[in-house]
């Protein structure tokens, strides 16, 4: 509505008041249009163009209202081009509501407001959920290795969520444990078994292990024995039933033949999962989930059986057996229970009731039950020495167990219809075994080799020498390294004095044939036997070719024995094998074979120059290797031939007179010269003549056994 007197209405006044604000907003925009001609309409004039405001006084004007800001006239009346953004030209006051100088914020100003600062866009990396998950699981694993709290680790993993990433947890857990001690490796296997199915599903377990096998080449850069460790983790997972055996075949199809992953799968399959009693060996490789030694478990079994006989609480007894957590060793429960039943006939009904209940509950499997009875059948002869009626009692128990259905009838087929082991020893062998056990125990206490040899000679049964060897090593394997070392030293002495090479070979064949049974009581029996074989070769008790002979004598179904021989050959082919094997149980002498040979050479050279017999004999005595004195004989004879100095014969005579070098050691030394005479003749042309002279000299003085002949007679 317009006023006729030229005054603005209230509505027009309000529009006029807001016009400067609109102008300022538009003029500050970089896209605000500029006037191209004096007559061009500006954006601000367009906002109020619909309000035709009349100039007061009726004067002539081309614009109305505030539009006059956009049209500037000079004093001459001509139009001039306005300044960009409508800020005016020269001589003007500039843009509407403009202030002098540039406006900027001062942080030191008391009225400073950070909210007035212009916004600045800062780029930031988008976090990857997988990376966050990997960082989180590392802290969970580290905490678990520190505390050993399985439940806490499982709870933390559940709270973490992101279940689709659990295969990465498997990979990280195992790879971190691979570079740590056996304790952490065992903890890892225990945790995986706990998480299986409840927290991590079986498919993800398989995926995690496949990722590990795929990255075996990368892991091997930092962990040299990656192949063996990872293979053992896979074998342990299979034994713990968290990884299917078919995993190995499926994974092999997807890996390149040249990768270390293939080596891992082959090692797991052939070295661990195919070995006899592999479950026991794999479970115990890192100490076992129960953290008990075999001896500890045996003690706990004996205690729980005694407590059960006193209380008669069968539920508590089954609970204690279950808490042992060694299902692969429950045959020991069966065997000890049977022995207790025969020792305390009043407890027999309770014992048989316990075994029946354990079998019906599935606590003791059928195979473990049969194995326990088989072990009892094998040792029934020894038990009969303490319990005369043991055989009769055992037969009655066997019949009752089969009749009640908790012992498989196949036991009779394996052990004979009467429940006894096949091929019972005759009375002479039984007595011999009993006597040699006492002799061996006394030797372990006294370390008196001459006394043991005299005791064996008094028995007068050289045809049973292989049985003695078997019993000696079997008893030593169940003891500490000290006794193992003593057994090896004794073998060397026996080979020199009274045992033939054939006795030694046959004894080891008997040991290897019964290796699987020995492993029931001594879990690492295969490796121990391999060390005994290798040590026998190093000590010259066996020749390397004897290992092939032993392997050929084994029955076709004795695969574990053949593997043990192969292990011994591998040990012997390793670098510095002589020194390592000689020290495998601490070393009785502390010298390597090569060191001993060097010392022998030096003491002979010193004697050759000084001629002091007492000093040379003392040096030989200080070597502390009486089973290796044949090397002294050999080197002394070679030096006598080379130097053309018979002084060495005086040394051998002095050693023989003192008993320092025995007749067997002397004979063995001459025998070694005889065997290598052709090679020796290449360096010493008259070696044969010299040796014939030395041989006659030795025979005249009684150094040699009468059976030792001339070089031509072999």
């Amino acid at each position: 509505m317009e006023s006729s007197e030229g005054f603005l209405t209230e509505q027009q006044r309000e529009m006029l008041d807001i016009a400067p604000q609109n102008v300022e907003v538009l003029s500050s925009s970089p896209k605000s249009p500029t006037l191209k001609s004096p007559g061009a309409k500006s954006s601000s004039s367009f906002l109020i163009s619909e309000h035709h405001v009349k100039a007061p006084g009726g004067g002539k004007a081309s614009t109305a209202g505030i539009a006059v800001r956009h049209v500037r006239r000079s004093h001459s009346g001509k139009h001039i081009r306005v300044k960009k953004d409508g800020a005016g030209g020269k001589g003007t006051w500039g843009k509407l509501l403009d202030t002098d100088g540039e406006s900027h914020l001062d942080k030191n100003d008391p009225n400073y407001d950070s909210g007035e600062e212009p916004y600045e866009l800062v780029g930031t990396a988008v976090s990857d959920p997988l990376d966050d998950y990997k960082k989180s699981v590392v802290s969970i694993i580290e905490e678990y290795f520190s505390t050993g709290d399985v439940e806490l680790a499982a709870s933390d993993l559940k709270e973490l969520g992101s279940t689709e990433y659990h295969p990465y947890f498997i990979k990280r857990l195992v790879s971190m444990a691979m570079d740590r001690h056996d304790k952490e490796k065992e903890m890892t296997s225990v945790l995986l078994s706990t998480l299986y199915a409840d927290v991590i599903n079986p498919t993800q377990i398989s995926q995690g292990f496949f990722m590990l096998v795929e990255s075996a080449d990368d892991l091997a850069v930092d962990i040299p024995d990656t192949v063996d460790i990872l293979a053992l983790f896979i074998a342990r997972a299979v034994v713990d039933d968290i990884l299917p055996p078919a995993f190995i075949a499926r994974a092999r199809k997807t890996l390149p033949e040249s990768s270390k992953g293939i080596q891992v799968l082959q090692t797991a399959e052939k070295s661990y999962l195919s070995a006899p009693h592999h479950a026991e060996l794999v479970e115990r490789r890192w100490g076992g989930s129960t953290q008990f030694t075999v001896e500890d478990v045996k003690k706990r079994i004996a205690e729980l059986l005694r407590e059960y006989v006193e209380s008669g609480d069968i539920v508590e007894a089954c609970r204690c057996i279950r808490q042992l957590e060694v299902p692969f060793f429950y045959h020991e429960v069966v065997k000890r229970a049977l022995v207790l039943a025969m020792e305390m006939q009043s407890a027999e009904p309770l014992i048989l009731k316990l075994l029946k209940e354990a079998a019906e509950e599935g606590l003791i499997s059928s195979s473990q039950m049969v194995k326990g009875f088989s072990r009892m059948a094998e040792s029934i002869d020894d038990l009969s020495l303490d319990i005369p009626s043991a055989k009769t009692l055992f037969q009655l128990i066997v019949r009752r167990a089969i009749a009640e259905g908790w012992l498989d009838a196949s036991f009779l087929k394996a052990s004979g219809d009467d429940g006894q082991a096949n091929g019972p020893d005759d009375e002479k062998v039984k007595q011999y075994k009993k006597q040699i056990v006492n002799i061996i125990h006394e030797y372990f206490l006294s370390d008196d080799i001459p006394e043991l040899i005299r005791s064996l000679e008094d028995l007068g049964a050289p045809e049973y020498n292989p049985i003695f060897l078997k019993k000696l090593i079997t008893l030593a394997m169940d003891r500490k390294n000290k006794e193992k070392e003593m057994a090896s030293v004794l073998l060397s002495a026996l080979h020199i004095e009274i045992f033939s090479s054939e006795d030694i070979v046959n004894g080891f064949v008997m040991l290897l044939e019964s290796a699987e049974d020995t492993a029931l009581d001594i879990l690492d029996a295969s490796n121990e036997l391999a060390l005994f074989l290798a040590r026998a070769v190093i000590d010259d008790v066996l020749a390397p070719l004897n290992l092939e002979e032993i392997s050929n004598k084994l029955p076709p179904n004795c695969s574990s024995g053949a593997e043990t021989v192969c292990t011994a050959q591998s040990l012997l082919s390793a670098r510095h094998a002589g020194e390592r094997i000689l020290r495998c149980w601490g070393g009785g002498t502390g010298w390597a074979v090569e060191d001993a040979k060097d010392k022998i050479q030096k003491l002979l050279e010193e004697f050759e120059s000084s001629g002091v017999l007492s000093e040379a004999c003392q040096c030989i005595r200080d070597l502390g290797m009486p089973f290796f004195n044949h090397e002294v004989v050999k080197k002394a004879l070679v030096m006598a031939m080379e130097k053309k100095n018979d002084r060495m014969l005086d040394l051998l005579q002095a050693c023989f007179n003192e008993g320092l070098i025995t007749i067997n050691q002397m004979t063995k030394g001459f025998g070694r010269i005889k065997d290598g005479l052709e090679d020796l003749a290449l360096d010493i042309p008259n070696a044969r003549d010299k040796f014939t002279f030395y041989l006659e000299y030795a025979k005249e003085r009684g150094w040699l056994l009468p059976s030792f002949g001339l070089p031509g007679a072999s």
Side-chain angles (χ1 to χ4, degrees):
M1 175 177 172
E2 281 187 33
S3 173
S4 57
E5 288 85 16
F7 292 97
L8 300 177
T9 66
E10 289 297 322
Q11 185 179 6
Q12 290 173 337
R13 290 180 182 279
E14 290 176 1
M15 294 295 295
L16 186 62
D17 290 337
I18 66 173
Q21 299 175 14
N22 293 334
V23 170
E24 184 175 5
V25 170
L26 291 174
S27 64
S28 64
S29 171
K31 294 185 178 180
S32 299
T34 56
L35 296 176
K36 295 184 179 180
S37 66
K41 234 181 203 185
S42 71
S43 299
S44 59
S45 63
F46 175 76
L47 292 175
I48 57 173
S49 60
E50 64 184 41
H51 302 284
H52 302 288
V53 183
K54 207 173 193 179
K60 189 177 179 180
S62 61
T63 58
I66 64 166
V68 295
R69 290 183 70 250
H70 299 283
V71 180
R72 305 295 181 190
R73 295 181 182 275
S74 64
H75 294 289
S76 62
K78 294 182 179 180
H79 289 287
I80 61 172
R81 190 164 183 120
V82 298
K83 189 176 180 180
K84 189 176 181 180
D85 288 337
K90 184 177 180 181
T92 66
W93 285 356
K95 190 164 55 175
L96 185 64
L97 302 180
D98 199 5
T99 57
D100 293 334
E102 293 184 2
S103 175
H104 66 277
L105 295 175
D106 184 3
K107 292 184 179 181
N108 296 321
D109 190 336
N111 297 320
Y112 168 74
D113 183 4
S114 61
E116 297 178 3
E117 291 280 3
Y119 293 106
E120 180 180 358
L121 295 178
V122 180
T124 179
V126 179
S127 64
D128 185 357
L130 178 57
D131 290 339
D132 294 340
Y133 178 86
K134 289 180 178 179
K135 293 176 183 177
S136 300
V137 298
V138 168
S139 62
I140 293 175
I141 295 168
E142 291 285 1
E143 184 176 0
Y144 170 64
F145 284 158
S146 300
T147 64
D149 193 333
V150 177
E151 297 300 329
L152 178 61
S155 174
D156 289 345
L157 192 61
K158 283 182 180 178
E159 292 177 2
L160 184 60
S162 303
T163 56
E164 67 275 16
Y165 297 138
H166 282 344
Y168 291 94
F169 173 81
I170 302 292
K171 179 183 177 183
R172 181 55 63 92
L173 174 65
V174 174
S175 59
M176 288 175 66
M178 288 172 63
D179 202 22
R180 300 196 179 210
H181 297 295
D182 285 353
K183 175 187 173 184
E184 285 78 10
K185 295 183 179 74
E186 178 63 30
M187 290 173 67
T188 296
S189 292
V190 171
L191 180 60
L192 288 176
S193 297
T194 305
L195 298 176
Y196 176 75
D198 292 336
V199 181
I200 303 178
N201 64 54
T203 303
Q204 291 176 323
I205 295 277
S206 297
Q207 291 172 350
F209 273 99
F210 182 74
M211 292 166 64
L212 281 162
V213 173
E214 277 188 318
S215 59
D217 291 280
D218 297 331
L219 291 172
V221 175
D222 298 318
I223 308 169
D225 48 353
T226 289
V227 172
D228 187 65
I229 297 175
L230 189 51
L232 192 52
F233 267 113
I234 292 174
R236 177 64 180 271
V238 173
V239 168
D240 289 343
D241 290 328
I242 66 174
L243 199 63
F247 167 82
I248 294 176
R250 289 201 297 264
R252 187 183 286 120
K253 294 177 182 178
T254 60
L255 295 172
E257 289 296 328
S258 60
S259 68
K260 287 193 179 294
I262 291 291
Q263 298 177 28
V264 169
L265 298 175
Q266 289 174 343
T267 303
E269 184 177 31
K270 295 180 180 179
S271 299
Y272 294 117
L273 295 176
S274 299
H277 311 294
H278 65 271
E280 296 95 318
L281 295 175
V282 170
E283 285 275 2
R284 294 293 180 184
R285 187 61 180 268
W286 293 319
S289 58
T290 62
Q291 300 299 323
F292 295 117
T293 65
V294 175
E295 292 303 320
D296 292 335
V297 175
K298 288 180 179 180
K299 289 178 183 177
R300 294 184 67 188
I301 291 172
E303 289 172 3
L304 74 88
L305 289 174
R306 281 196 299 270
E307 290 176 4
Y308 167 66
V309 169
E310 293 173 1
S311 67
D313 190 343
I314 195 169
V315 176
E316 177 66 16
C318 289
R319 187 188 67 81
C320 291
I321 293 173
R322 194 174 290 107
Q323 280 188 340
L324 291 175
E325 296 182 354
V326 284
F328 55 85
F329 200 57
Y330 284 164
H331 55 79
E332 181 70 18
V333 178
V334 177
K335 179 187 174 184
R336 287 182 177 268
L338 292 173
V339 172
L340 187 59
M342 285 184 273
E343 287 177 341
M344 301 173 58
Q345 294 186 29
S346 60
E348 181 182 325
L350 280 174
I351 293 294
L352 298 185
K353 183 181 177 182
L354 173 63
L355 292 178
K356 181 180 179 181
E357 181 69 19
E360 290 176 350
E361 281 188 16
L363 180 59
I364 299 179
S365 66
S366 176
S367 62
Q368 289 288 305
M369 191 68 74
V370 170
K371 190 177 289 185
F373 270 83
S374 298
R375 292 182 60 203
M376 189 69 257
E378 290 169 1
S379 59
I380 196 70
D381 291 325
D382 295 333
L383 190 62
S384 297
L385 299 175
D386 299 321
I387 308 172
S389 60
K391 287 185 180 180
T392 304
L393 293 172
F394 182 62
Q395 292 173 31
L396 293 174
I397 292 173
V398 169
R399 293 193 186 102
R400 179 177 172 180
I402 293 175
E404 294 179 356
W406 49 275
L407 176 63
D408 198 296
S410 63
F411 169 74
L412 290 180
K413 298 178 182 178
S415 61
D417 293 338
D418 59 352
Q420 300 179 47
N422 285 328
D425 295 325
D426 57 31
E427 196 62 32
K428 185 178 180 182
V429 174
K430 293 177 188 176
Q431 291 300 322
Y432 179 80
K433 286 183 176 180
K434 182 180 179 182
Q435 291 168 333
I436 62 174
V437 168
N438 294 332
I439 292 172
I440 294 170
H441 285 162
E442 185 178 348
Y443 166 67
F444 285 155
L445 292 174
S446 66
D447 195 15
D448 191 342
I449 292 178
E451 178 61 30
L452 182 141
I453 292 174
R454 281 193 295 271
S455 299
L456 279 181
E457 289 174 342
D458 291 342
L459 290 179
E463 66 274 17
Y464 296 144
N465 286 347
I467 297 176
F468 178 87
L469 185 146
K470 177 186 175 184
K471 183 63 71 173
L472 170 67
I473 293 181
T474 302
L475 291 174
M477 285 195 298
D478 203 23
R479 295 182 174 234
K480 297 182 179 179
N481 286 346
K482 174 187 174 184
E483 285 78 10
K484 296 184 180 78
E485 177 66 27
M486 291 173 68
S488 288
V489 172
L490 178 59
L491 276 185
S492 297
L494 292 175
H495 181 240
I496 295 161
E497 302 292 340
I498 56 176
F499 277 28
S500 66
S501 296
E502 186 178 2
D503 291 336
I504 303 291
V505 169
N506 291 335
F508 275 108
V509 170
M510 294 172 65
L511 271 168
L512 294 172
E513 285 176 340
S514 61
E516 293 189 12
D517 297 329
T518 306
L520 297 175
D521 294 318
I522 306 164
L523 298 182
D524 202 25
S526 179
N527 289 332
E528 296 281 1
L529 281 175
L531 282 172
F532 271 109
L533 277 169
R535 176 64 181 269
V537 173
I538 293 298
D539 289 342
D540 287 332
V541 174
L542 289 174
L545 289 177
N546 288 141
L547 296 182
E548 293 294 336
E549 182 184 354
I550 290 171
S551 184
N552 293 333
K553 284 189 174 185
L554 293 173
N557 60 347
C558 188
S559 59
S560 60
E563 290 177 4
T564 301
V565 175
C566 290
T567 303
Q569 291 171 328
S570 299
L571 291 171
L572 290 166
S573 62
R575 189 178 181 187
H576 305 302
E579 184 172 354
R580 290 181 179 179
I581 294 170
L582 196 65
R583 296 175 183 272
C584 62
W585 294 307
T589 64
W591 303 110
V593 172
E594 281 68 23
D595 292 337
K597 289 181 178 179
D598 289 342
K599 288 182 176 294
I600 291 170
Q601 183 69 30
K602 289 178 181 177
L603 74 87
L604 291 176
E605 289 174 353
E606 289 178 5
F607 170 72
E608 198 270 335
S609 60
S610 66
V612 181
L613 281 171
S614 59
E615 180 65 24
C617 290
Q618 185 60 43
C619 289
I620 294 172
R621 194 175 290 108
D622 290 343
L623 285 175
M625 300 176 74
F627 55 88
F628 200 55
N629 283 343
H630 55 79
E631 181 72 17
V632 177
V633 178
K634 177 190 171 185
K635 286 189 177 294
L637 293 175
V638 171
M639 188 174 291
M641 293 180 190
E642 290 176 341
K643 305 287 186 180
K644 297 179 181 180
N645 185 349
D646 294 339
R647 180 181 287 178
M648 291 298 168
L649 299 179
D650 297 336
L651 174 61
L652 294 179
Q653 182 68 61
C655 291
F656 185 77
N657 292 340
E658 289 186 18
L660 189 56
I661 299 180
T662 64
I663 189 172
N664 288 287
Q665 286 285 302
M666 197 72 80
T667 302
K668 188 171 183 180
F670 271 83
R672 293 179 63 194
I673 291 288
K674 172 185 169 183
D675 294 338
L677 201 54
E678 292 184 3
D679 295 333
L680 196 59
L682 298 175
D683 298 321
I684 308 171
N686 62 339
R688 183 175 293 274
D689 295 335
K690 281 283 187 182
F691 179 69
T692 303
F693 170 73
Y694 296 150
L695 187 59
E696 293 298 330
Y697 185 90
K699 281 195 169 187
E700 288 174 4
R701 286 157 179 76
W703 295 357
L704 306 176
L705 294 171
S707 59
F708 192 86
L710 292 172
S714 59

